[in-house]
Amino acid sequence: MGLGVKATPSTYAAHALAAVAAVLVLVWCVHFRGGLALEAQNKNLIFNVHPVLMLIGYIILGSEAIMIYKVFPKLNHDTAKLTHLILHAIATVLGAFGIYCAFKYHNDSGIANLYSLHSWLGIGTISLYAIQWVFGFVTFFFPGAAPSVRRSALPWHALFGLFVYVLALATAELGFLEKLTFLESGGLDKYGAEAFLVNFTALVVVLFGASVVVAAVTPAHVEEPRGYAPIPVS
């Protein structure tokens, strides 16, 4: 028996929180950190591309792909499936490029790579994300598995997809924590505006991710629970 909750309120909350998170990360990287660049004397500008792409391009776009079936429940199934596939593909590419920017920043700055839990989880998550996409493409899109195989694989595809999504959220939280710790070790005021902004952005991302997960696991339409009838209004 379901909980009697439909996905629509969670999708509204998710979109509002996504907009807030996107604005906050841009304010942080552009206003506080100096801007974005792929080539610059100030190597920090190269790094700034990383959190912007990982949050907006990877997590938020990936979230839209997850919620597409709940945001547009009446959309033609094949159209929704294609949109789901394309959004996840774009998220994968932007996520991979965001990781490249982090490596480029490290290499140009003479900093070691892959020494932190954040970096390990980041590589693992983007790899699992790509594997999930390839599996979905081959099984549900082209060439497409037999109907019985698709029916059996769909729950596992959805479950594993949510696992990878939660892993991406956890990786992002570690990234915010790691970068803020480095900045504070370098003299950033622990109670200053930038520190507050980074912590608040990370909190918004947690709430955003929770809204997406709730939207994903709740139905687009609520059916009347078996054995119960609406309470009559006198």
Side-chain angles (χ1 to χ4, degrees):
M1 183 183 298
L3 296 175
V5 177
K6 63 179 182 179
T8 303
S10 295
T11 63
Y12 291 158
H15 284 110
L17 290 165
V20 173
V23 170
L24 290 175
V25 77
L26 285 171
V27 169
W28 179 37
C29 292
V30 175
H31 175 69
F32 285 98
R33 293 285 98 203
L36 310 171
L38 297 179
E39 295 288 345
Q41 291 287 0
N42 181 0
K43 303 306 178 185
N44 291 317
L45 303 186
I46 299 173
F47 174 84
N48 292 345
V49 179
H50 174 70
V52 170
L53 284 184
M54 300 315 290
L55 180 55
I56 298 176
Y58 182 47
I59 291 179
I60 293 180
L61 268 186
S63 302
E64 293 296 337
I66 291 171
M67 294 190 295
I68 188 66
Y69 297 102
K70 305 301 174 68
V71 175
F72 301 107
K74 296 182 180 179
L75 189 65
N76 174 272
H77 180 71
D78 289 338
T79 302
K81 183 168 68 173
L82 180 61
T83 305
H84 177 81
L85 183 81
I86 291 172
L87 287 176
H88 273 314
I90 296 172
T92 304
V93 172
L94 292 179
F97 189 73
I99 291 175
Y100 160 78
C101 290
F103 273 93
K104 179 174 173 56
Y105 163 72
H106 279 211
N107 293 336
D108 289 357
S109 304
I111 301 172
N113 290 304
L114 300 175
Y115 60 85
S116 67
L117 180 60
H118 170 67
S119 60
W120 294 0
L121 284 177
I123 295 297
T125 301
I126 196 72
S127 300
L128 291 175
Y129 203 100
I131 291 170
Q132 170 81 341
W133 188 89
V134 171
F135 174 81
F137 182 88
V138 172
T139 305
F140 302 105
F141 193 76
F142 182 83
S148 60
V149 175
R150 293 202 301 270
R151 281 194 298 270
S152 299
L154 182 58
W156 293 103
H157 178 68
L159 181 62
F160 186 72
L162 278 182
F163 166 73
V164 175
Y165 178 72
V166 171
L167 199 59
L169 292 171
T171 304
E173 294 303 306
L174 283 174
F176 283 121
L177 175 63
E178 182 179 294
K179 184 62 177 179
L180 185 57
T181 301
F182 287 157
L183 291 173
E184 290 176 346
S185 298
L188 182 71
D189 183 0
K190 292 180 174 62
Y191 298 100
E194 184 175 355
F196 175 82
L197 177 71
V198 175
N199 281 328
F200 188 73
T201 304
L203 178 60
V204 170
V205 171
V206 169
L207 297 174
F208 166 64
S211 300
V212 173
V213 171
V214 171
V217 301
T218 50
H221 303 286
V222 178
E223 295 182 1
E224 188 176 304
R226 195 174 298 174
Y228 288 83
I231 299 173
V233 178
S234 56

